[in-house]
Structure formats: structure tokens, C-alpha cells
Amino acid sequence: MTDVLASPPVAAGSRRRARRPRGRPPAGPPPWLLAAGLGLVGLTGLAGCRRDRRWAWAALPALAAAAVLGWTGREPRRPVGSGRLLAPADGVVQGVRADPDGRTRVATFVGPLQVPLSRAPIAGVVSSVRRVRGGAGAAFGSAGERNERVVWHLDTELGDVEVVQIAGATGRRIATFLGAGDKVEGGTRIGRARAGSRVDVYLPPGVTPAVRVGMRVRAGQTRLDRD
């Protein structure tokens, strides 16, 4: 077991390359590499249009896909917001649900043009990271409950805080940047899914949510809890 005291804190703006724990599947090529490949295909197609305009059928979709991947594949640096608990993802609040155990689940849907990075909602220590196999259907609604997911548990000043990355219809791959025993600050980048994914965070008992369904939130900046 990893000694939690041996892992230095990971800053919210840190670009440290995270190690991949043994047994964790790779997350596939990085978005920028896919964007570059599609851009090359698109430019080649545009060059071919001089001889045959039918090349445009390949060039234009490739360039459009490259632009989308280039935009969503960014890792924006941003100041960390104030509050005990912060949004773990960019997107729209899909649901706010009180559970029988006293916790409140806040579900955030990450749209197709939003950066699908997941961030720690609060400072603490990663106590566990568990991957649950599943499908790749629509992440919103009840269908998302059967999708591939990664379940994080953070040991924090408020107790255990659970964060769940849920894959969407664009693919099951979910990258995780940290492992059990790593210390994090609020706003730290902990993983990446793909566009159309969802990130749930469970507010501990006694914490009142400050967000509502339909509200737009920004990872690491929008406050989730109310004083």
C-alpha cells in the first residue's frame, strides 16, 4: 500500500505527468495527437481538391473534427474558486438528488464542445480509485448508470467525498492522472473522459447544495455547497 505521506501535494495548476498504476489500462492517444492527425488528413484532402472536388467530402469533416478535438483537448489553467466544495467538471448540472444515506449527488453533464477534464472538488488524499466496466451509451438519464466509470474516494476535512467519472456515447476510455495515496488540492486535474461524459460528486451529509438543475458550472471554480 502506498504511504500517503510519501506523496507530495499535487497543485491545481501542476502539469506533472502522472504515473500509470500497474493494471490500469491506457487511455488511448492524447486529444492533441488525434487533432493533429485529422488536421493532416484534412489538409491533404484540401490539396486533392485541386484535382478532384470530391476530396472535399474527406477534407471538410476531418478539419471540423480536428477543430473540435483541438478545442476540447485543451487543459486550461484557471484560478481556483472559493468554497469548501467546487464543481468537478465543466458543464450543466443534470441532477441534484438527495440519497437515503444523507449525501447529495450533483451530476454534471459535459457537453460535446466542453473540455472533459475532471478536477478534485476539494483538497484531500485519494483513498481509492476503482474502474467499473460498462458500456458507452448516453451519459445523461438512467442509461448512464450502466456506462463505464471510474469511482474516486477522497479523504477530506469533510470526510469521504466520492467523485464518479462516467463515460459517454463517444467512447468508454477514461484517463486517470492520479492514484491512491496522492494528495490533491481543490481544482487539481484528476482525469479526463471524452465529450458527452458525466461527472457526479456526492456531497457529504449535512452539506447543502448551492447549485440547481440546468445551472452551468466551471470545474474548480463554481461553488457547490452553501454556507
Side-chain angles (χ1 to χ4, degrees):
M1 180 177 295
T2 304
D3 183 354
V4 298
L5 297 179
S7 300
V10 181
S14 173
R15 297 186 63 85
R16 188 191 75 177
R17 182 179 297 276
R19 61 189 179 281
R20 180 162 65 90
R22 187 176 304 169
R24 181 181 299 172
W32 66 265
L33 185 59
L34 292 174
L38 287 168
L40 182 60
V41 170
L43 292 175
T44 302
L46 285 180
C49 287
R50 296 179 178 179
R51 298 188 304 272
D52 189 337
R53 291 187 176 181
R54 287 178 295 181
W55 277 93
W57 290 103
L60 296 181
L63 289 174
V68 171
L69 278 174
W71 177 258
T72 60
R74 297 173 299 125
E75 294 191 5
R77 292 176 178 269
R78 58 179 60 158
V80 178
S82 60
R84 294 178 301 174
L85 286 158
L86 304 172
D90 291 354
V92 177
V93 176
Q94 178 194 359
V96 179
R97 185 189 72 191
D99 286 350
D101 60 5
R103 300 185 301 171
T104 300
R105 187 190 73 171
V106 177
T108 301
F109 178 71
V110 181
L113 295 180
Q114 290 167 318
V115 177
L117 277 175
S118 302
R119 298 176 184 260
I122 188 173
V125 177
V126 179
S127 55
S128 69
V129 184
R130 180 171 60 95
R131 188 177 297 268
V132 180
R133 299 299 180 185
F140 51 85
S142 59
E145 305 302 325
R146 298 185 293 273
N147 285 4
E148 184 95 2
R149 65 192 56 221
V150 171
V151 181
W152 299 76
H153 283 275
L154 308 178
D155 185 12
T156 76
E157 62 179 6
L158 298 179
D160 177 68
V161 173
E162 181 178 347
V163 180
V164 185
Q165 296 173 276
I166 302 174
T170 57
R172 293 184 297 177
R173 290 192 181 276
I174 301 175
T176 52
F177 302 158
L178 304 174
D182 281 327
K183 297 180 181 180
V184 295
E185 298 175 4
T188 299
R189 288 167 288 193
I190 62 173
R192 175 188 286 275
R194 290 184 176 176
S197 59
R198 195 177 97 200
V199 182
D200 295 353
V201 59
Y202 289 80
L203 310 185
V207 177
T208 303
V211 294
R212 61 185 184 281
V213 174
M215 181 175 174
R216 291 188 176 274
V217 296
R218 285 172 61 85
Q221 291 191 324
T222 305
R223 183 172 184 173
L224 295 183
D225 66 306
R226 193 183 305 279
D227 288 327

